[in-house]
Each structure stands twice: as C-alpha cells, then as structure tokens.
Amino acid sequence: MQLLDNYSLEKLNSFKIDVKARKFVTIKSNEEIIRLQEKGMFGKDRHLILGGGSNLLFTSDYDGTVVHMDTRGMEVTHSDDDYVYLRVMAGEEWDDVVGYCVERGWGGLENLSLIPGRAGSSPIQNIGAYGAELSDHFHSLEVLDKNTGKLREMSHEECSFSYRESVFKHKEKDRYIILSVTFRLDKVPRVCTDYLALSDELEDMCVSSPSISDVRKAVISIRRRKLPDPDFLGNAGSFFKNPVISRKRFIKLREEFPGIKFFEEAGGVKIAAGWLIEKAGWKGRRLGKAGVHRHQALVLVNHGGATGSEVLRLAEDIRASILDVFGIELQTEVNII
Ligand code: FAD
Ligand code: EPU
C-alpha cells in the first residue's frame, strides 16, 4: 500500500475530467483499509472513497486523499432450496458480477447488466435499470465504521433503499466504507421484462420466453445503442434523477404537455427528465466543451477537455430552464466533488 502524491484522476472518473488528487492510495485488501483507519487517516485529512468514478463530477483538483477501493473476490456464503447467497468484495467490477451470476443461472441481477462502476458503490444509490433495482436482490453488506474502526453487517432494512437512494446518501453519509455486498439470487430465475424498451428489444430479437441470458443480451444491446461509452465520450450516466410528483400535479402538467413521458409509481408519478430536457430544447446542445448527449438528454457529456465547472454550469442552466418551463426542480444524481 503506497501513498502517491499529485496523482492524475483523469482515467479514474468516467467524465474524464483532468484533475489530480493531492494524495492517492489503492486498497487491495480489507486489512489495508483497516490499517489506514488505525493510522487515523479518516479522522484528520479530507478524503474520498473512490470506486469506478462513474457517478462523480470533479470540479477541481482534490485537496486530500483519494482512497481507491480495488479489493477483489466473490464467494457463495451459503444456499438453500430457493436462493444462492453471493458475497462480493467492494472492488469487483459490477458488470463482472452480473456476468458471473448469469453464467451460473442465478437470477436477479440481469436487468442491471453493463452499469459501470464497482460492487461496493452499487448500494449507495441503489442502482437501477430496465425495471429492476439492486434492492430487489440485496441481502446485506459489511462496512467499516470510519469513526470507531469497527466492522459491522447491515441488513436490507437498515440500508433504507428507495429510488436512487439509501441511508449512505443521507443519515449515514460519509460514515461507512462498504467492504463487501451479499446478494440473494434466485436458483429458479423469474425474468422481469415489464420495462417497455426491454420488452420491445426482446421482441426485435424474436425471443418469446426469455432466459436471464436473453435479458442480459437485450439490456446490453439497448445500453450500447442509447448511452455513450465513457471510453469515447466522458459522462456519468443520468446527470439528474427522474422527478417523482403527485398524481394531482401530474394531471395538470399532462393537460399542458400531452406527450409527456412518465412511469406509474406507488407514491406518485415519475416523470422522464430526459423528455423534459429534450422538450425544453437542450438535447444535443453544447456549452463550451460540455454538452447534452444527442441521443439521451439526461446524460451530460465531456466533448474533450471540459472542466467540471463547465459541466456544472451547463447542469445549472438546465435546472433553471426546467424549473422555468415545467415548474419542476431537478435533483442531481451525480456526486459533485
Ligand atoms: P463512484 O463514482 O466511484 O462513487 C460514487 C459514490 O460512492 C461516491 O460518493 C463515493 O465516495 C462512494 N463510494 C464508492 N465506493 C464506496 C465504498 N466502497 N464505500 C463507501 N462509499 C463508496 N446508475 C444506475 O443506477 N443505473 C444506470 O442505468 C446507470 N447507467 C450508467 C451509465 C453510464 C454510461 C455511466 C457512466 C454511469 C451510469 N450509472 C447508472 C451511474 C453509476 O454507474 C452508478 O452510480 C455506479 O454504482 C457508480 O459506481 P462507482 O464504483 O463508479 O462509484
Ligand atoms: N426520453 C426522451 N428524450 C430523451 C431521453 C429519454 O423523450 O432525450 C424518453 C424516452 O423516450 C422514454 C423515457 O424518456 O420514453 C425514458 O427514457 P429511458 O428509457 O432512456 O430512461 P431514463 O428514464 O432516461 C432511467 C435511468 C437510467 C436507466 C434507464 C433504464 C434515472 C435517472 N435514469 O433513464 O439510469 O439506465 O432509466 O432503466 O432513473 C443512471 O442512473 O445513470 C442511468 C443511466
């Protein structure tokens, strides 16, 4: 474990913002992170726990220590008649975990194929896509408490998952380092193909009774078509969350904008923010080297050499415009650093 100075983060954030960390360390085992805690690392210095850097926007050089979680390993802890319990170390690539499960016929994560990032970050915003959320097949996780140095297990209930939310973004923000996550996977998979784009894709593939492997293939195919690959065009996926509004408010909004795209939710109506942004005229627009993706208006991109502040300025202009046109306040999904 080596503490490096003035370390470039350009390749470690999917927006490809060219910034440096004052200090940088890569963690390869739980013992290493525990040792850092014992040395007082999380008490005195400003620090950032980094996974794959695919949900972050750096707005300047990082004046502190970046701790890059790169611990690897997956193991089945136990199984019963219905489920396999798979424990995954924080640094595993998320999509490798999904691929591993699908290859073995364990169901539950296939709709979340090809989401960038590491397993340890996946519970933080309860990653979701194509009709599924991490919380659907989450069992528990193990954390290191940065304040006390104690290790502890947290249950599903303690994580308080909801749409793009968990306890780690609010009540317990910055308190814990997630060391591993345990998933509860179906031995007899039940495929979920309710999401319209997914069922359409499966139809185009001429698959009438899809397996989890078909679902994975379909999701990968949609994502490759719709979303920019960060290796070629810097981005962090959806920049904003889809706003959830009351049914009463939605009915009024729909009278004014009959074409509005939305999803029915238990507690209200979720509006497609990409539709709002496109309708307000932002799709494909640029502000300096930052821009709005031409196929998906919810995704802001770095056309090459953009600064984080440039991307943030564009995001702020979009937020103001959506408030002005629709009276809706967009919330940022990406973590601004
Ligand atoms: P990072 O960006 O490294 O970190 C995110 C946050 O978690 C930071 O606050 C960081 O400090 C904290 N953190 C990281 N690791 C730990 C740890 N071990 N312990 C404690 N805190 C930690 N998200 C979706 O939900 N659905 C999608 O469909 C989706 N599609 C995407 C498509 C693209 C092209 C891109 C670029 C992103 C997409 N995302 C999506 C967002 C992103 O992939 C997820 O949020 C992912 O979980 C982030 O993982 P990461 O390892 O890159 O996290
Ligand atoms: N739409 C537009 N214009 C656009 C973009 C979208 O009209 O520019 C419309 C689409 O036609 C569709 C609706 O909006 O009717 C929804 O679009 P899409 O299926 O692309 O999904 P999304 O709501 O834009 C969300 C997630 C994505 C996730 C997809 C698939 C959020 C904030 N984003 O996007 O997650 O992959 O659904 O489930 O919930 C992420 O979080 O980073 C992310 C990429």
Side-chain angles (χ1 to χ4, degrees):
M1 182 172 52
Q2 214 186 341
L3 213 51
L4 304 165
D5 294 319
N6 286 322
Y7 195 85
S8 172
L9 299 173
E10 193 177 3
K11 293 197 173 84
L12 292 170
N13 74 98
S14 64
F15 253 121
K16 302 289 184 264
I17 304 292
D18 185 8
V19 287
K20 288 194 173 74
R22 183 161 56 78
K23 293 212 178 292
F24 180 87
V25 61
T26 300
I27 299 297
K28 292 281 185 191
S29 69
N30 285 354
E31 289 68 36
E32 287 185 345
I33 193 94
I34 290 165
R35 222 179 312 141
L36 275 190
Q37 199 280 336
E38 285 168 355
K39 281 185 183 164
M41 157 68 77
F42 304 122
K44 50 182 195 299
D45 199 10
R46 185 179 175 216
H47 61 271
L48 172 76
I49 309 299
L50 182 70
S54 62
N55 207 23
L56 297 172
L57 177 67
F58 287 108
T59 52
S60 60
D61 284 337
Y62 191 77
D63 187 20
T65 306
V66 169
V67 179
H68 180 39
M69 293 300 286
D70 200 27
T71 52
R72 305 288 177 146
M74 298 189 232
E75 60 160 345
V76 173
T77 55
H78 59 292
S79 71
D80 54 30
D81 289 349
D82 300 320
Y83 305 113
V84 171
Y85 295 82
L86 182 71
R87 178 170 173 262
V88 180
M89 296 298 284
E92 283 289 345
E93 288 288 347
W94 173 256
D95 193 54
D96 290 350
V97 180
V98 180
Y100 185 87
C101 296
V102 170
E103 271 169 32
R104 283 155 183 79
W106 302 336
L109 304 184
E110 57 281 355
N111 295 54
L112 306 177
S113 290
L114 215 63
I115 296 180
R118 305 293 180 102
S121 332
S122 63
I124 291 177
Q125 72 157 10
N126 181 25
I127 55 170
Y130 301 98
E133 283 185 341
L134 171 114
S135 55
D136 302 337
H137 287 82
F138 171 94
H139 177 259
S140 58
L141 51 76
E142 188 189 21
V143 289
L144 170 69
D145 186 329
K146 288 194 273 187
N147 300 335
T148 63
K150 291 208 169 103
L151 299 182
R152 86 173 180 96
E153 196 83 8
M154 288 176 74
S155 67
H156 194 294
E157 203 185 350
E158 284 173 284
C159 293
S160 301
F161 292 121
S162 61
Y163 166 62
R164 296 294 189 275
E165 294 292 346
S166 74
V167 72
F168 306 104
K169 287 177 75 173
H170 299 283
K171 195 163 151 250
E172 303 294 7
K173 191 168 161 51
D174 294 332
R175 175 166 174 192
Y176 295 118
I177 299 174
I178 297 174
L179 301 181
S180 68
V181 186
T182 299
F183 297 96
R184 194 184 74 166
L185 304 158
D186 296 330
K187 279 188 168 169
V188 181
R190 296 161 284 156
V191 291
C192 161
T193 59
D194 297 343
Y195 200 90
L196 187 62
L198 176 57
S199 53
D200 285 352
E201 188 74 19
L202 287 161
E203 206 175 301
D204 289 351
M205 286 162 60
C206 301
V207 178
S208 51
S209 310
S211 63
I212 53 172
S213 173
D214 295 323
V215 171
R216 176 164 166 78
K217 268 188 219 135
V219 168
I220 288 176
S221 158
I222 305 170
R223 296 185 74 95
R224 290 217 166 113
R225 204 168 54 238
K226 276 199 185 170
L227 292 165
D229 179 345
D231 285 344
F232 300 98
L233 191 60
N235 75 92
S238 302
F239 198 88
F240 302 101
K241 289 173 30 170
N242 284 329
V244 180
I245 62 172
S246 69
R247 179 156 304 281
K248 198 169 154 209
R249 206 167 153 212
F250 170 69
I251 290 166
K252 279 191 84 178
L253 196 66
R254 200 182 187 184
E255 277 167 15
E256 206 180 335
F257 303 100
I260 193 164
K261 296 281 198 287
F262 62 97
F263 309 90
E264 296 288 351
E265 290 275 298
V269 181
K270 192 191 271 176
I271 308 295
W275 186 89
L276 300 176
I277 298 169
E278 177 173 353
K279 187 76 181 167
W282 288 96
K283 199 166 183 170
R285 271 175 70 180
R286 281 187 184 222
L287 186 77
K289 291 167 184 158
V292 180
H293 188 47
R294 61 198 174 95
H295 298 313
Q296 228 301 358
L298 197 45
V299 177
L300 304 190
V301 297
N302 173 3
H303 284 292
T307 62
S309 307
E310 234 172 342
V311 177
L312 199 55
R313 213 159 37 241
L314 173 62
E316 276 158 11
D317 287 355
I318 292 172
R319 258 164 66 91
S321 151
I322 299 305
L323 186 60
D324 186 41
V325 179
F326 302 101
I328 289 180
E329 208 164 326
L330 291 180
Q331 281 175 19
T332 304
E333 177 186 304
V334 170
N335 296 280
I336 312 297
I337 311 289

